[in-house]
Amino acid sequence: MEFSNYFFASTEIIGIISASISGCIIARKCKFDLFGIMLCAILSSLGGGIIRDILIGALPPRSFYNYIYPLSSVITSLTVFTIFKILKNKIPLRQDLMRMLFLIFDAIGLASFSISGVQIGLESGYGNNGYLCIILGMTTAVGGGIIRDVITAHVPLVLREEIYATASLLGSAIYYFAIKLGVNQALSLYVSMFLIILIRLLSIRYKWHLPKGDEE
Amino acid sequence: MEFSNYFFASTEIIGIISASISGCIIARKCKFDLFGIMLCAILSSLGGGIIRDILIGALPPRSFYNYIYPLSSVITSLTVFTIFKILKNKIPLRQDLMRMLFLIFDAIGLASFSISGVQIGLESGYGNNGYLCIILGMTTAVGGGIIRDVITAHVPLVLREEIYATASLLGSAIYYFAIKLGVNQALSLYVSMFLIILIRLLSIRYKWHLPKGDEE
Amino acid sequence: MEFSNYFFASTEIIGIISASISGCIIARKCKFDLFGIMLCAILSSLGGGIIRDILIGALPPRSFYNYIYPLSSVITSLTVFTIFKILKNKIPLRQDLMRMLFLIFDAIGLASFSISGVQIGLESGYGNNGYLCIILGMTTAVGGGIIRDVITAHVPLVLREEIYATASLLGSAIYYFAIKLGVNQALSLYVSMFLIILIRLLSIRYKWHLPKGDEE
């Protein structure tokens, strides 16, 4: 299944790049040095996949076996770092612009990792346990962000944001059932990724949220 | 060993429900939305067991394989959430009452997970390594609470509280040695769980503590 | 290879003692009680190794199998605790002195764990994957400190400090290539450990740092 693998590899790389960018933006806000920025990008982008590989016992995790993973993240960080340096003297990088960029790349990362998580569950022989595959998608997707937020001393986005893990769960479920029903893999992948990003961004734009637990 | 399994399963469920309630109370204090409350409950109640399963290489962890685990936690969260909503308009949910409830359910969770950790150590063929079984009990017991506290940006209770991991260690050791000496499993389970809860709550009530390291 | 094992075991013990001391100093600053100090020391000193063993699937981790690991850490904590108690009434334990001691022991721990991580990678049959061995050294080295810092609610040193993970990476690489080139193990070990400590301490003394990402 060369085709499947090609699509799958692209999804993983898109996820790593997007999550690295989100890591860079938050690291820059925390005034980390270049190495801190790179490490934050690496943990944000590889953390979810490492957790996923530990959970299914695929050890050592992919990112520890193949240097392509951290390399993609390092190159992304260096690029983002350079762009920030150049832009700084040309146009102002306002906080709200940075916040918007952060949320967009975080959403793309969320979508890519959800699908890659489900896919690895399917390929690891757990195809009959839908619960496991879908939950693996969500864990891969939110894992890196949790590490990123804990390490930069923020309450994780997944706990603060209205529609986050829910978007990942929904997209993972759609992908899983589409594959099980025999829908074309590329189509399943694009539709479910697009849906996760759309739901996530619409929820930010229109401030969708679930009922709050209030504290008097 | 139907009898043993029945008791063991009940202990696990009691632990999950209690830890979920403790997670809900702390999540409510942090003003998380419903999904945040559920996720906090899930991480508090399943976190310790996931860490335990990773440590003994029983992968994927039980909670990722069987949806009964998160489902118990989700149902608990929804119930607690509804009770809070209803009670809010009837009687005031004062901070000290909430704190007391939190500490009680946290103690029950601590006790249940200590025993379930030791039991899984025994059942996984590590029965001859008492150190491993007892430490596995303590890790299972404090793991979920550490995740809950780190994620809600608190210094973990296990580091702040006088008698916490010690109570778990003691109860785990009593359970381990009772089983090794051939004492009836149900009796061992009840006595050691009761002891952990008792020691933990007495230590809060009478402010027991170990000598402090002082900083001038 | 008795000789090799002897050296390797000493490195591990030196790492555990040094990391425990660094954990004690930070726990004392946070005013933890004696048990909190011990737990903080245990997590600081065993955390990296536990992460390493999980990553290569060597489960249960060494520290859960053999009580010598936590025992070394507990004895160290008790000793440090007693020394602090005695010294307190004799000479003032100033914050800057404590900070200096913390950084020195943290550096020794960083160096020891880097080498022990690479060595375990080599011994676990990953000798041909230099990337894996070197990254395993760094992960072992920074893992315990990250746990220590997250648990005591500090932004991890590895993200704040200029030359930290870099020093570990460099030393791990030197050790790996020295062993691969057939250099005497004791010599490789001493030289690479010495280099890591030297680079780390010089970077603190002379405030070396990488370019900062600035936030306006």
Side-chain angles (χ1 to χ4, degrees), chain B residues 146-162:
Chain B
I146 290 182
I147 295 179
R148 176 195 66 205
D149 295 342
V150 166
I151 257 171
T152 56
H154 291 83
V155 172
L157 208 55
V158 68
L159 283 177
R160 276 181 294 134
E161 281 291 305
E162 296 82 2

Side-chain angles (χ1 to χ4, degrees), chain B residues 30 84 101 150 162:
Chain B
C30 294
F84 279 163
L101 280 175
V150 166
E162 296 82 2

Side-chain angles (χ1 to χ4, degrees), chain B residues 101-119:
Chain B
L101 280 175
F102 167 76
L103 289 170
I104 290 171
F105 284 107
D106 183 81
I108 302 173
L110 188 79
S112 317
F113 287 134
S114 300
I115 306 310
S116 90
V118 177
Q119 180 63 24

Side-chain angles (χ1 to χ4, degrees), chain B residues 6 14 38 45 72 76-77 87 93 99 101-103 115 124 126 151 165 172 174 185 188 208-210 212:
Chain B
Y6 167 78
I14 292 172
M38 283 198 275
S45 59
S72 312
T76 308
S77 327
L87 281 189
L93 299 172
R99 172 98 191 132
L101 280 175
F102 167 76
L103 289 170
I115 306 310
S124 305
Y126 300 114
I151 257 171
S172 300
I174 290 172
Q185 188 170 30
S188 312
W208 290 344
H209 58 78
L210 296 155
K212 285 250 186 298

Side-chain angles (χ1 to χ4, degrees), chain A residues 32-110:
Chain A
F32 289 159
D33 61 34
L34 181 55
F35 199 87
I37 290 174
M38 283 199 275
L39 206 74
C40 190
I42 289 173
L43 289 173
S44 307
S45 60
L46 307 184
I50 291 172
I51 293 173
R52 176 198 63 208
D53 290 350
I54 291 176
L55 288 172
I56 57 169
L59 301 170
R62 264 150 264 253
S63 317
F64 278 74
Y65 218 88
N66 194 330
Y67 62 85
I68 286 300
Y69 288 85
L71 193 64
S72 311
S73 182
V74 165
I75 292 173
T76 307
S77 328
L78 289 175
T79 312
V80 172
F81 185 79
T82 312
I83 292 176
F84 279 161
K85 281 279 180 211
I86 295 170
L87 281 190
K88 207 199 144 183
N89 306 317
K90 308 269 191 264
I91 55 162
L93 299 172
R94 296 197 323 272
Q95 286 245 267
D96 54 346
L97 177 73
M98 284 291 107
R99 172 98 192 135
M100 206 184 69
L101 280 174
F102 167 76
L103 289 170
I104 290 172
F105 285 108
D106 183 79
I108 302 173
L110 188 78

Side-chain angles (χ1 to χ4, degrees), chain A residues 9-215:
Chain A
S10 330
T11 318
E12 190 99 336
I13 289 294
I14 292 172
I16 291 175
I17 292 176
S18 307
S20 297
I21 298 176
S22 80
C24 286
I25 297 177
I26 216 170
R28 180 175 170 276
K29 208 182 130 209
C30 294
K31 298 177 190 295
F32 289 159
D33 61 34
L34 181 55
F35 199 87
I37 290 174
M38 283 199 275
L39 206 74
C40 190
I42 289 173
L43 289 173
S44 307
S45 60
L46 307 184
I50 291 172
I51 293 173
R52 176 198 63 208
D53 290 350
I54 291 176
L55 288 172
I56 57 169
L59 301 170
R62 264 150 264 253
S63 317
F64 278 74
Y65 218 88
N66 194 330
Y67 62 85
I68 286 300
Y69 288 85
L71 193 64
S72 311
S73 182
V74 165
I75 292 173
T76 307
S77 328
L78 289 175
T79 312
V80 172
F81 185 79
T82 312
I83 292 176
F84 279 161
K85 281 279 180 211
I86 295 170
L87 281 190
K88 207 199 144 183
N89 306 317
K90 308 269 191 264
I91 55 162
L93 299 172
R94 296 197 323 272
Q95 286 245 267
D96 54 346
L97 177 73
M98 284 291 107
R99 172 98 192 135
M100 206 184 69
L101 280 174
F102 167 76
L103 289 170
I104 290 172
F105 285 108
D106 183 79
I108 302 173
L110 188 78
S112 318
F113 287 133
S114 300
I115 307 309
S116 91
V118 177
Q119 180 63 25
I120 284 190
L122 287 166
E123 289 179 7
S124 306
Y126 300 114
N128 287 324
N129 191 336
Y131 163 67
L132 175 64
C133 291
I134 295 168
I135 223 71
L136 207 58
M138 192 194 79
T139 310
T140 310
V142 305
I146 290 183
I147 295 179
R148 175 196 67 206
D149 295 342
V150 167
I151 256 171
T152 56
H154 292 82
V155 172
L157 207 54
V158 69
L159 285 177
R160 276 180 295 133
E161 281 292 304
E162 297 81 3
I163 312 291
Y164 193 90
T166 16
S168 164
L169 264 185
L170 192 72
S172 301
I174 290 172
Y175 182 72
Y176 175 79
F177 288 111
I179 294 294
K180 288 308 259 185
L181 292 169
V183 178
N184 175 281
Q185 188 170 29
L187 182 70
S188 312
L189 193 154
Y190 286 139
V191 170
S192 40
M193 267 192 68
F194 177 74
L195 267 176
I196 296 177
I197 299 176
L198 189 75
I199 294 173
R200 178 77 188 107
L201 293 183
L202 284 178
S203 84
I204 299 171
R205 175 67 187 80
Y206 295 104
K207 301 191 198 306
W208 290 344
H209 57 78
L210 296 155
K212 284 250 187 300
D214 2 52
E215 169 80 356

